[in-house]
Amino acid sequence: MNGFAILRSVQHYVGKIRTMRNEIRTQRFMDGLPADLRKDIGWPDMYASGRRNDN
């Protein structure tokens, strides 16, 4: 395994961690909104259905 392959693996891992942190931050923000506003935008129902398709 050369240096570029290792670097690419590390970058991929860091990218996944960053994505997970962003998703957690978004969930916390959205959960902090009033219930009626969350319902109007379809949270978490719309989010949950979209995530199932990504897996």
Side-chain angles (χ1 to χ4, degrees):
M1 192 174 230
N2 64 19
F4 290 113
I6 293 171
L7 179 62
R8 187 184 315 214
S9 295
V10 170
Q11 287 175 332
H12 180 72
Y13 176 73
V14 169
K16 284 186 152 223
I17 297 296
R18 183 176 294 133
T19 299
M20 289 171 46
R21 287 179 52 122
N22 287 340
E23 288 178 356
I24 290 168
R25 188 177 300 129
T26 299
Q27 288 176 354
R28 286 183 186 156
F29 174 78
M30 297 298 282
D31 289 341
L33 294 174
D36 56 338
L37 186 58
R38 285 185 305 209
K39 184 180 176 189
D40 288 344
I41 61 175
W43 180 264
D45 300 331
M46 193 155 81
Y47 176 80
S49 65
R51 290 297 299 164
R52 267 184 287 222
N53 293 337
D54 291 342
N55 292 336

Short mmCIF file of all heavy atoms in Angstrom, two decimals:
data_model
loop_
_atom_site.label_atom_id
_atom_site.label_comp_id
_atom_site.label_asym_id
_atom_site.label_seq_id
_atom_site.Cartn_x
_atom_site.Cartn_y
_atom_site.Cartn_z
N MET A 1 0.86 -1.17 0.00
CA MET A 1 0.00 0.00 0.00
C MET A 1 0.90 1.23 0.00
O MET A 1 1.72 1.40 0.89
CB MET A 1 -0.91 -0.06 1.24
CG MET A 1 -2.02 0.92 1.22
SD MET A 1 -3.11 0.64 2.64
CE MET A 1 -4.65 0.61 1.82
N ASN A 2 0.77 2.05 -0.99
CA ASN A 2 1.61 3.23 -1.06
C ASN A 2 1.02 4.38 -0.26
O ASN A 2 -0.08 4.31 0.26
CB ASN A 2 1.86 3.63 -2.52
CG ASN A 2 0.59 4.06 -3.24
OD1 ASN A 2 -0.39 4.39 -2.61
ND2 ASN A 2 0.64 4.04 -4.55
N GLY A 3 1.74 5.45 -0.17
CA GLY A 3 1.34 6.59 0.65
C GLY A 3 0.04 7.24 0.20
O GLY A 3 -0.75 7.70 1.03
N PHE A 4 -0.18 7.27 -1.12
CA PHE A 4 -1.41 7.90 -1.63
C PHE A 4 -2.64 7.09 -1.25
O PHE A 4 -3.70 7.65 -0.96
CB PHE A 4 -1.34 8.09 -3.14
CG PHE A 4 -0.35 9.15 -3.55
CD1 PHE A 4 0.79 8.81 -4.25
CD2 PHE A 4 -0.56 10.47 -3.21
CE1 PHE A 4 1.70 9.78 -4.62
CE2 PHE A 4 0.35 11.45 -3.57
CZ PHE A 4 1.49 11.10 -4.28
N ALA A 5 -2.51 5.78 -1.26
CA ALA A 5 -3.65 4.93 -0.89
C ALA A 5 -3.99 5.12 0.59
O ALA A 5 -5.17 5.16 0.96
CB ALA A 5 -3.34 3.48 -1.19
N ILE A 6 -2.98 5.24 1.41
CA ILE A 6 -3.21 5.46 2.84
C ILE A 6 -3.87 6.82 3.05
O ILE A 6 -4.84 6.95 3.80
CB ILE A 6 -1.89 5.36 3.63
CG1 ILE A 6 -1.37 3.92 3.58
CG2 ILE A 6 -2.09 5.82 5.07
CD1 ILE A 6 0.01 3.74 4.14
N LEU A 7 -3.36 7.83 2.36
CA LEU A 7 -3.92 9.17 2.48
C LEU A 7 -5.38 9.19 2.03
O LEU A 7 -6.24 9.79 2.67
CB LEU A 7 -3.11 10.17 1.66
CG LEU A 7 -3.60 11.61 1.68
CD1 LEU A 7 -3.56 12.17 3.10
CD2 LEU A 7 -2.75 12.46 0.75
N ARG A 8 -5.68 8.51 0.94
CA ARG A 8 -7.05 8.45 0.44
C ARG A 8 -7.96 7.76 1.45
O ARG A 8 -9.10 8.20 1.69
CB ARG A 8 -7.11 7.71 -0.89
CG ARG A 8 -8.48 7.77 -1.52
CD ARG A 8 -8.56 6.98 -2.78
NE ARG A 8 -7.40 7.20 -3.62
CZ ARG A 8 -7.42 7.19 -4.93
NH1 ARG A 8 -8.56 6.99 -5.55
NH2 ARG A 8 -6.34 7.37 -5.63
N SER A 9 -7.48 6.70 2.08
CA SER A 9 -8.27 5.99 3.09
C SER A 9 -8.55 6.90 4.29
O SER A 9 -9.67 6.92 4.81
CB SER A 9 -7.54 4.74 3.57
OG SER A 9 -7.42 3.82 2.52
N VAL A 10 -7.55 7.63 4.72
CA VAL A 10 -7.73 8.54 5.85
C VAL A 10 -8.71 9.66 5.48
O VAL A 10 -9.59 10.00 6.27
CB VAL A 10 -6.36 9.11 6.32
CG1 VAL A 10 -6.56 10.23 7.32
CG2 VAL A 10 -5.50 8.01 6.91
N GLN A 11 -8.58 10.21 4.29
CA GLN A 11 -9.50 11.26 3.85
C GLN A 11 -10.93 10.74 3.79
O GLN A 11 -11.87 11.45 4.15
CB GLN A 11 -9.08 11.81 2.50
CG GLN A 11 -7.85 12.67 2.54
CD GLN A 11 -7.39 13.09 1.16
OE1 GLN A 11 -7.62 12.39 0.17
NE2 GLN A 11 -6.73 14.23 1.09
N HIS A 12 -11.10 9.53 3.33
CA HIS A 12 -12.42 8.93 3.25
C HIS A 12 -13.01 8.78 4.66
O HIS A 12 -14.18 9.11 4.90
CB HIS A 12 -12.35 7.58 2.56
CG HIS A 12 -13.66 6.88 2.43
ND1 HIS A 12 -14.64 7.30 1.56
CD2 HIS A 12 -14.17 5.80 3.06
CE1 HIS A 12 -15.69 6.52 1.67
NE2 HIS A 12 -15.43 5.59 2.59
N TYR A 13 -12.22 8.29 5.58
CA TYR A 13 -12.65 8.12 6.97
C TYR A 13 -13.02 9.46 7.59
O TYR A 13 -14.06 9.59 8.22
CB TYR A 13 -11.54 7.44 7.77
CG TYR A 13 -11.85 7.30 9.23
CD1 TYR A 13 -12.78 6.37 9.67
CD2 TYR A 13 -11.23 8.11 10.16
CE1 TYR A 13 -13.08 6.24 11.02
CE2 TYR A 13 -11.51 7.99 11.51
CZ TYR A 13 -12.43 7.06 11.93
OH TYR A 13 -12.72 6.93 13.26
N VAL A 14 -12.18 10.47 7.39
CA VAL A 14 -12.45 11.80 7.94
C VAL A 14 -13.73 12.37 7.33
O VAL A 14 -14.54 13.00 8.03
CB VAL A 14 -11.25 12.75 7.71
CG1 VAL A 14 -11.60 14.19 8.02
CG2 VAL A 14 -10.06 12.29 8.54
N GLY A 15 -13.95 12.14 6.06
CA GLY A 15 -15.17 12.59 5.41
C GLY A 15 -16.41 11.95 6.01
O GLY A 15 -17.44 12.61 6.20
N LYS A 16 -16.33 10.65 6.31
CA LYS A 16 -17.47 9.97 6.93
C LYS A 16 -17.74 10.52 8.32
O LYS A 16 -18.90 10.74 8.69
CB LYS A 16 -17.21 8.47 7.03
CG LYS A 16 -17.36 7.75 5.72
CD LYS A 16 -17.22 6.26 5.93
CE LYS A 16 -18.02 5.57 4.87
NZ LYS A 16 -18.78 4.47 5.35
N ILE A 17 -16.69 10.77 9.08
CA ILE A 17 -16.85 11.33 10.42
C ILE A 17 -17.48 12.72 10.33
O ILE A 17 -18.39 13.05 11.10
CB ILE A 17 -15.50 11.40 11.16
CG1 ILE A 17 -14.93 10.00 11.38
CG2 ILE A 17 -15.61 12.16 12.48
CD1 ILE A 17 -15.75 9.13 12.27
N ARG A 18 -17.03 13.53 9.39
CA ARG A 18 -17.58 14.88 9.22
C ARG A 18 -19.06 14.81 8.86
O ARG A 18 -19.88 15.58 9.37
CB ARG A 18 -16.80 15.62 8.14
CG ARG A 18 -17.25 17.06 7.94
CD ARG A 18 -16.38 17.78 6.93
NE ARG A 18 -15.03 17.92 7.45
CZ ARG A 18 -13.92 17.64 6.75
NH1 ARG A 18 -14.01 17.23 5.51
NH2 ARG A 18 -12.74 17.79 7.29
N THR A 19 -19.42 13.89 7.98
CA THR A 19 -20.82 13.73 7.59
C THR A 19 -21.68 13.32 8.79
O THR A 19 -22.77 13.86 8.99
CB THR A 19 -20.94 12.68 6.47
OG1 THR A 19 -20.20 13.12 5.34
CG2 THR A 19 -22.39 12.44 6.08
N MET A 20 -21.19 12.38 9.58
CA MET A 20 -21.93 11.95 10.75
C MET A 20 -22.13 13.09 11.74
O MET A 20 -23.22 13.27 12.28
CB MET A 20 -21.20 10.79 11.44
CG MET A 20 -21.26 9.50 10.66
SD MET A 20 -20.20 8.17 11.27
CE MET A 20 -20.49 8.20 13.02
N ARG A 21 -21.09 13.89 11.95
CA ARG A 21 -21.20 15.03 12.87
C ARG A 21 -22.20 16.05 12.36
O ARG A 21 -22.99 16.60 13.13
CB ARG A 21 -19.84 15.68 13.07
CG ARG A 21 -18.89 14.87 13.92
CD ARG A 21 -17.57 15.57 14.05
NE ARG A 21 -17.76 16.93 14.50
CZ ARG A 21 -17.23 17.45 15.59
NH1 ARG A 21 -16.46 16.71 16.34
NH2 ARG A 21 -17.44 18.69 15.92
N ASN A 22 -22.18 16.31 11.06
CA ASN A 22 -23.14 17.26 10.47
C ASN A 22 -24.57 16.76 10.61
O ASN A 22 -25.49 17.55 10.88
CB ASN A 22 -22.81 17.53 9.01
CG ASN A 22 -21.58 18.40 8.85
OD1 ASN A 22 -21.17 19.10 9.76
ND2 ASN A 22 -20.97 18.33 7.67
N GLU A 23 -24.78 15.46 10.41
CA GLU A 23 -26.13 14.91 10.55
C GLU A 23 -26.61 15.02 11.99
O GLU A 23 -27.77 15.36 12.24
CB GLU A 23 -26.15 13.45 10.09
CG GLU A 23 -26.02 13.31 8.59
CD GLU A 23 -25.99 11.86 8.14
OE1 GLU A 23 -26.00 10.96 9.00
OE2 GLU A 23 -25.96 11.64 6.92
N ILE A 24 -25.74 14.74 12.95
CA ILE A 24 -26.10 14.85 14.36
C ILE A 24 -26.43 16.29 14.71
O ILE A 24 -27.42 16.58 15.39
CB ILE A 24 -24.98 14.30 15.26
CG1 ILE A 24 -24.89 12.79 15.10
CG2 ILE A 24 -25.20 14.68 16.72
CD1 ILE A 24 -23.65 12.17 15.71
N ARG A 25 -25.62 17.23 14.21
CA ARG A 25 -25.87 18.65 14.47
C ARG A 25 -27.22 19.07 13.88
O ARG A 25 -27.99 19.81 14.51
CB ARG A 25 -24.74 19.48 13.88
CG ARG A 25 -24.79 20.94 14.25
CD ARG A 25 -23.61 21.71 13.70
NE ARG A 25 -22.36 21.18 14.22
CZ ARG A 25 -21.30 20.84 13.46
NH1 ARG A 25 -21.34 21.00 12.16
NH2 ARG A 25 -20.22 20.37 14.01
N THR A 26 -27.54 18.60 12.68
CA THR A 26 -28.81 18.93 12.04
C THR A 26 -29.97 18.36 12.85
O THR A 26 -30.98 19.04 13.06
CB THR A 26 -28.84 18.38 10.60
OG1 THR A 26 -27.79 18.99 9.86
CG2 THR A 26 -30.18 18.66 9.93
N GLN A 27 -29.84 17.11 13.30
CA GLN A 27 -30.90 16.50 14.09
C GLN A 27 -31.15 17.29 15.37
O GLN A 27 -32.31 17.53 15.74
CB GLN A 27 -30.55 15.06 14.45
CG GLN A 27 -30.63 14.12 13.27
CD GLN A 27 -30.18 12.72 13.63
OE1 GLN A 27 -29.71 12.46 14.73
NE2 GLN A 27 -30.31 11.81 12.68
N ARG A 28 -30.10 17.70 16.05
CA ARG A 28 -30.26 18.47 17.28
C ARG A 28 -30.95 19.80 17.00
O ARG A 28 -31.81 20.24 17.77
CB ARG A 28 -28.90 18.72 17.93
CG ARG A 28 -28.34 17.50 18.60
CD ARG A 28 -27.03 17.83 19.27
NE ARG A 28 -26.43 16.62 19.80
CZ ARG A 28 -25.15 16.48 20.04
NH1 ARG A 28 -24.31 17.47 19.81
NH2 ARG A 28 -24.68 15.35 20.51
N PHE A 29 -30.55 20.47 15.93
CA PHE A 29 -31.18 21.74 15.58
C PHE A 29 -32.65 21.57 15.28
O PHE A 29 -33.50 22.31 15.79
CB PHE A 29 -30.46 22.37 14.39
CG PHE A 29 -31.14 23.61 13.87
CD1 PHE A 29 -31.00 24.81 14.53
CD2 PHE A 29 -31.92 23.56 12.74
CE1 PHE A 29 -31.63 25.96 14.07
CE2 PHE A 29 -32.56 24.70 12.26
CZ PHE A 29 -32.41 25.90 12.94
N MET A 30 -32.97 20.57 14.46
CA MET A 30 -34.36 20.35 14.07
C MET A 30 -35.21 19.93 15.27
O MET A 30 -36.35 20.36 15.39
CB MET A 30 -34.44 19.29 12.97
CG MET A 30 -33.74 19.70 11.68
SD MET A 30 -34.43 21.15 10.92
CE MET A 30 -35.87 20.42 10.16
N ASP A 31 -34.65 19.12 16.15
CA ASP A 31 -35.40 18.70 17.33
C ASP A 31 -35.65 19.85 18.28
O ASP A 31 -36.56 19.79 19.10
CB ASP A 31 -34.66 17.57 18.06
CG ASP A 31 -34.71 16.26 17.28
OD1 ASP A 31 -35.59 16.12 16.39
OD2 ASP A 31 -33.86 15.39 17.55
N GLY A 32 -34.87 20.91 18.17
CA GLY A 32 -35.05 22.08 19.01
C GLY A 32 -36.13 23.02 18.53
O GLY A 32 -36.54 23.93 19.25
N LEU A 33 -36.61 22.81 17.32
CA LEU A 33 -37.69 23.65 16.78
C LEU A 33 -39.02 23.27 17.43
O LEU A 33 -39.20 22.14 17.88
CB LEU A 33 -37.79 23.46 15.27
CG LEU A 33 -36.61 23.95 14.44
CD1 LEU A 33 -36.80 23.54 12.98
CD2 LEU A 33 -36.44 25.45 14.56
N PRO A 34 -39.97 24.19 17.44
CA PRO A 34 -41.30 23.87 17.97
C PRO A 34 -41.95 22.72 17.18
O PRO A 34 -41.72 22.57 15.98
CB PRO A 34 -42.09 25.16 17.77
CG PRO A 34 -41.07 26.23 17.63
CD PRO A 34 -39.87 25.60 17.03
N ALA A 35 -42.76 21.94 17.88
CA ALA A 35 -43.37 20.75 17.27
C ALA A 35 -44.21 21.08 16.05
O ALA A 35 -44.16 20.35 15.05
CB ALA A 35 -44.22 20.01 18.31
N ASP A 36 -44.96 22.17 16.08
CA ASP A 36 -45.81 22.49 14.93
C ASP A 36 -44.97 22.87 13.70
O ASP A 36 -45.33 22.54 12.57
CB ASP A 36 -46.80 23.60 15.26
CG ASP A 36 -46.15 24.88 15.76
OD1 ASP A 36 -45.01 24.81 16.26
OD2 ASP A 36 -46.78 25.94 15.66
N LEU A 37 -43.85 23.51 13.92
CA LEU A 37 -42.97 23.85 12.80
C LEU A 37 -42.32 22.60 12.22
O LEU A 37 -42.22 22.43 11.00
CB LEU A 37 -41.90 24.85 13.25
CG LEU A 37 -40.99 25.41 12.19
CD1 LEU A 37 -41.80 26.11 11.10
CD2 LEU A 37 -40.01 26.40 12.80
N ARG A 38 -41.88 21.68 13.10
CA ARG A 38 -41.31 20.41 12.62
C ARG A 38 -42.33 19.64 11.81
O ARG A 38 -41.99 19.04 10.78
CB ARG A 38 -40.84 19.56 13.79
CG ARG A 38 -39.56 20.05 14.41
CD ARG A 38 -39.10 19.11 15.46
NE ARG A 38 -40.17 18.93 16.42
CZ ARG A 38 -40.01 18.66 17.68
NH1 ARG A 38 -38.81 18.50 18.16
NH2 ARG A 38 -41.03 18.55 18.49
N LYS A 39 -43.58 19.65 12.25
CA LYS A 39 -44.63 18.94 11.51
C LYS A 39 -44.84 19.56 10.13
O LYS A 39 -45.00 18.85 9.14
CB LYS A 39 -45.94 18.97 12.30
CG LYS A 39 -47.03 18.19 11.65
CD LYS A 39 -48.31 18.24 12.47
CE LYS A 39 -49.41 17.53 11.73
NZ LYS A 39 -50.69 17.72 12.37
N ASP A 40 -44.80 20.89 10.06
CA ASP A 40 -44.99 21.58 8.79
C ASP A 40 -43.92 21.23 7.76
O ASP A 40 -44.19 21.15 6.56
CB ASP A 40 -45.01 23.09 8.99
CG ASP A 40 -46.27 23.59 9.67
OD1 ASP A 40 -47.26 22.83 9.71
OD2 ASP A 40 -46.26 24.74 10.15
N ILE A 41 -42.70 21.03 8.22
CA ILE A 41 -41.62 20.71 7.28
C ILE A 41 -41.40 19.21 7.12
O ILE A 41 -40.56 18.78 6.35
CB ILE A 41 -40.29 21.40 7.68
CG1 ILE A 41 -39.82 20.95 9.06
CG2 ILE A 41 -40.44 22.90 7.62
CD1 ILE A 41 -38.46 21.50 9.45
N GLY A 42 -42.17 18.40 7.88
CA GLY A 42 -42.10 16.95 7.72
C GLY A 42 -40.95 16.30 8.46
O GLY A 42 -40.45 15.25 8.05
N TRP A 43 -40.52 16.88 9.55
CA TRP A 43 -39.42 16.31 10.33
C TRP A 43 -40.01 15.46 11.44
O TRP A 43 -40.93 15.91 12.09
CB TRP A 43 -38.57 17.43 10.93
CG TRP A 43 -37.42 16.93 11.73
CD1 TRP A 43 -37.39 16.75 13.07
CD2 TRP A 43 -36.15 16.53 11.25
NE1 TRP A 43 -36.18 16.28 13.45
CE2 TRP A 43 -35.40 16.12 12.36
CE3 TRP A 43 -35.58 16.46 9.99
CZ2 TRP A 43 -34.10 15.66 12.24
CZ3 TRP A 43 -34.30 16.00 9.88
CH2 TRP A 43 -33.56 15.61 10.98
N PRO A 44 -39.54 14.30 11.70
CA PRO A 44 -38.45 13.55 11.09
C PRO A 44 -38.91 12.59 10.01
O PRO A 44 -38.11 11.86 9.45
CB PRO A 44 -37.86 12.78 12.27
CG PRO A 44 -39.03 12.45 13.11
CD PRO A 44 -39.95 13.66 12.97
N ASP A 45 -40.22 12.55 9.72
CA ASP A 45 -40.75 11.57 8.77
C ASP A 45 -40.07 11.63 7.41
O ASP A 45 -39.66 10.61 6.87
CB ASP A 45 -42.25 11.76 8.60
CG ASP A 45 -43.00 11.58 9.91
OD1 ASP A 45 -42.50 10.81 10.76
OD2 ASP A 45 -44.04 12.22 10.07
N MET A 46 -39.92 12.81 6.86
CA MET A 46 -39.31 12.96 5.54
C MET A 46 -37.83 12.60 5.60
O MET A 46 -37.30 11.95 4.71
CB MET A 46 -39.49 14.39 5.04
CG MET A 46 -39.17 14.53 3.58
SD MET A 46 -40.00 15.90 2.82
CE MET A 46 -39.08 17.27 3.23
N TYR A 47 -37.17 12.98 6.68
CA TYR A 47 -35.75 12.68 6.83
C TYR A 47 -35.52 11.18 6.95
O TYR A 47 -34.66 10.62 6.29
CB TYR A 47 -35.20 13.40 8.07
CG TYR A 47 -33.76 13.07 8.36
CD1 TYR A 47 -32.75 13.70 7.65
CD2 TYR A 47 -33.41 12.17 9.33
CE1 TYR A 47 -31.42 13.42 7.90
CE2 TYR A 47 -32.10 11.87 9.59
CZ TYR A 47 -31.10 12.49 8.88
OH TYR A 47 -29.79 12.20 9.13
N ALA A 48 -36.32 10.51 7.76
CA ALA A 48 -36.15 9.08 7.99
C ALA A 48 -36.36 8.28 6.69
O ALA A 48 -35.62 7.35 6.40
CB ALA A 48 -37.09 8.59 9.08
N SER A 49 -37.36 8.67 5.92
CA SER A 49 -37.61 7.94 4.67
C SER A 49 -36.49 8.16 3.67
O SER A 49 -36.13 7.26 2.92
CB SER A 49 -38.95 8.35 4.07
OG SER A 49 -38.93 9.70 3.67
N GLY A 50 -35.90 9.34 3.65
CA GLY A 50 -34.78 9.61 2.75
C GLY A 50 -33.53 8.87 3.13
O GLY A 50 -32.77 8.41 2.29
N ARG A 51 -33.29 8.70 4.43
CA ARG A 51 -32.11 7.99 4.89
C ARG A 51 -32.18 6.50 4.59
O ARG A 51 -31.19 5.87 4.33
CB ARG A 51 -31.92 8.18 6.41
CG ARG A 51 -31.53 9.56 6.80
CD ARG A 51 -30.20 9.96 6.24
NE ARG A 51 -29.17 9.07 6.75
CZ ARG A 51 -27.97 8.96 6.24
NH1 ARG A 51 -27.63 9.65 5.19
NH2 ARG A 51 -27.08 8.14 6.76
N ARG A 52 -33.37 5.93 4.59
CA ARG A 52 -33.50 4.51 4.28
C ARG A 52 -33.07 4.23 2.85
O ARG A 52 -32.51 3.18 2.57
CB ARG A 52 -34.94 4.05 4.48
CG ARG A 52 -35.19 3.49 5.86
CD ARG A 52 -36.58 2.99 5.90
NE ARG A 52 -37.39 4.19 5.92
CZ ARG A 52 -38.45 4.40 6.66
NH1 ARG A 52 -38.92 3.46 7.38
NH2 ARG A 52 -39.09 5.52 6.65
N ASN A 53 -33.31 5.16 1.95
CA ASN A 53 -32.93 4.95 0.56
C ASN A 53 -31.43 5.07 0.35
O ASN A 53 -30.89 4.53 -0.60
CB ASN A 53 -33.64 5.97 -0.34
CG ASN A 53 -35.14 5.75 -0.38
OD1 ASN A 53 -35.59 4.65 -0.11
ND2 ASN A 53 -35.88 6.79 -0.66
N ASP A 54 -30.73 5.78 1.25
CA ASP A 54 -29.29 5.96 1.10
C ASP A 54 -28.50 4.71 1.48
O ASP A 54 -27.39 4.52 1.03
CB ASP A 54 -28.78 7.12 1.96
CG ASP A 54 -29.27 8.47 1.45
OD1 ASP A 54 -29.68 8.52 0.27
OD2 ASP A 54 -29.21 9.44 2.20
N ASN A 55 -29.07 3.86 2.33
CA ASN A 55 -28.33 2.71 2.83
C ASN A 55 -28.25 1.64 1.84
O ASN A 55 -28.32 1.21 0.96
CB ASN A 55 -28.96 2.16 4.11
CG ASN A 55 -28.80 3.14 5.25
OD1 ASN A 55 -27.89 3.96 5.24
ND2 ASN A 55 -29.69 3.04 6.19
#
